Amino acid sequence: MSRVIVVTSGKGGVGKTNTSASFSAGLAMRGYKTVVIDFDVGLRNLDLVMGCERRVVYDLVNVIQGEATLNQALIKDKQVDKLYILPASQTKDKDCLTEAGVEAVIDELSRMGFDYIVCDSPAGIERGAIMALTFADEAIVVTNPEISSIRDSDRIIGVLQSKSKRAKQGGVAVKEHLLITRYNPTRVTNQEMLSIEDVVGLLRVPLIGVIPESEKVLASSNSGTPVIHHEGDPASNAYKDTVGRFLGEEIPLRYKKKKKKGFFKRLIGA
């Protein structure tokens, strides 16, 4: 039975698609057959981040409307053997996404033997975002450590708790995880950014990971290689840790404290 995970946020530009790309790649690198679906109909960025934009022939809307099969629309990732991408349409409207159509796609992916189905949600609470979270078993709520991002994340948590299929059926709630991105301990020390404790205290959602600010994140988006593949980079390490925690491993948080200066740097500073 597949596990459906939505990667969501209330605010745009928080690193949601980068998270979907690296998180799904991390699951596949662990040996799990994984598919990541782009629900941002009309814009479509996931294929760019994952470096497969030239391979897109059919998309999610084509499958829902019966114009293509899933086998025709799924794109095999270039770098990870068990990872597949289902892109969004760049020309259609979000109204093309129907609950019955999305459910049929997810059911078929489950029958195809996927362990994890990762839904990359557009920001906000419009139709694409609602469709992305409707069938979720678990949710990764992505937020930056700033008050506007946290406020919007709080809103999307409310939507998860009221509009998901699990909420409507009154069963076990969607399991929520909090992922803080673009974290900079120096800016926290300078009171330019909220601390991890502040963010967790405001949202009251279990923390699954903290992704530090890294120039590699933007570089990886531009090169079409998820940052998790950049060995040794702090953001890559943090995403790998996040995947491990999701899979139940006890892994301490890294990159949450300001890096101490070495002796010679302190001497020059003095």
Side-chain angles (χ1 to χ4, degrees):
M1 186 73 177
S2 300
R3 196 82 176 153
V4 181
I5 306 145
V6 62
V7 179
T8 187
S9 69
K11 191 174 186 291
V14 298
K16 185 169 27 50
T17 296
N18 283 311
T19 293
S20 296
S22 284
F23 183 76
S24 57
L27 288 170
M29 288 158 67
R30 290 294 197 99
Y32 296 98
K33 189 178 179 183
T34 304
V35 58
V36 55
I37 307 173
D38 189 351
F39 276 84
D40 203 356
V41 174
L43 292 177
R44 199 178 84 189
N45 288 311
L46 181 66
D47 56 304
L48 288 170
V49 173
M50 302 194 77
C52 63
E53 70 277 7
R54 293 183 185 88
R55 297 187 179 185
V56 177
V57 178
Y58 296 108
D59 55 57
L60 173 62
V61 173
N62 292 139
V63 176
I64 288 174
Q65 295 184 336
E67 299 163 350
T69 66
L70 263 176
N71 279 326
Q72 289 177 291
L74 286 172
I75 301 170
K76 193 174 187 302
D77 187 69
K78 296 176 183 178
Q79 302 182 73
V80 188
D81 187 47
K82 292 193 174 184
L83 180 60
Y84 294 79
I85 301 100
L86 181 56
S89 172
Q90 214 168 14
T91 58
K92 301 289 177 66
D93 188 83
K94 289 180 173 65
D95 289 338
C96 294
L97 297 177
T98 64
E99 189 168 314
V102 172
E103 185 172 26
V105 168
I106 288 174
D107 286 347
E108 189 173 349
L109 288 168
S110 184
R111 287 194 295 271
M112 291 170 73
F114 282 96
D115 298 302
Y116 290 104
I117 300 169
V118 179
C119 302
D120 180 32
S121 170
I125 54 172
E126 43 76 38
R127 186 168 186 80
I130 299 300
M131 289 296 102
L133 65 81
T134 295
F135 301 99
D137 299 306
E138 304 192 43
I140 296 177
V141 181
V142 183
T143 191
N144 293 158
E146 56 183 52
I147 200 66
S148 61
S149 179
I150 292 165
R151 179 194 62 193
D152 291 345
S153 293
D154 209 19
R155 178 77 186 278
I156 206 70
I157 290 166
V159 174
L160 270 168
Q161 294 173 350
S162 60
K163 293 194 175 184
S164 65
K165 185 176 179 181
R166 284 173 173 255
K168 291 174 183 176
Q169 292 178 341
V172 178
V174 174
K175 187 176 181 180
E176 299 162 355
H177 309 276
L178 176 63
L179 183 70
I180 302 173
T181 54
R182 296 180 181 169
Y183 191 75
N184 187 324
T186 300
R187 292 182 65 192
V188 173
T189 301
N190 295 337
Q191 297 185 327
E192 299 169 354
M193 181 178 282
L194 295 175
S195 69
I196 295 169
E197 292 76 19
D198 291 332
V199 178
V200 174
L202 287 166
L203 291 176
R204 301 290 179 181
V205 172
L207 183 67
I208 196 171
V210 176
I211 312 299
E213 278 188 328
S214 169
E215 293 177 0
K216 288 288 187 184
V217 174
L218 179 58
S220 67
S221 296
N222 291 334
S223 66
T225 304
V227 73
I228 197 169
H229 294 304
H230 288 273
E231 290 293 332
D233 182 75
S236 172
N237 294 337
Y239 273 118
K240 288 173 184 173
D241 290 350
T242 299
V243 171
R245 291 188 199 98
F246 178 83
L247 296 172
E249 299 170 10
E250 294 286 337
I251 302 174
L253 282 175
R254 293 193 266 182
Y255 313 115
K256 63 179 183 178
K257 292 183 179 179
K258 185 178 176 181
K259 200 172 182 179
K260 291 182 179 179
K261 289 183 180 180
F263 172 75
F264 289 108
K265 285 189 176 179
R266 291 201 308 271
L267 190 63
I268 292 167

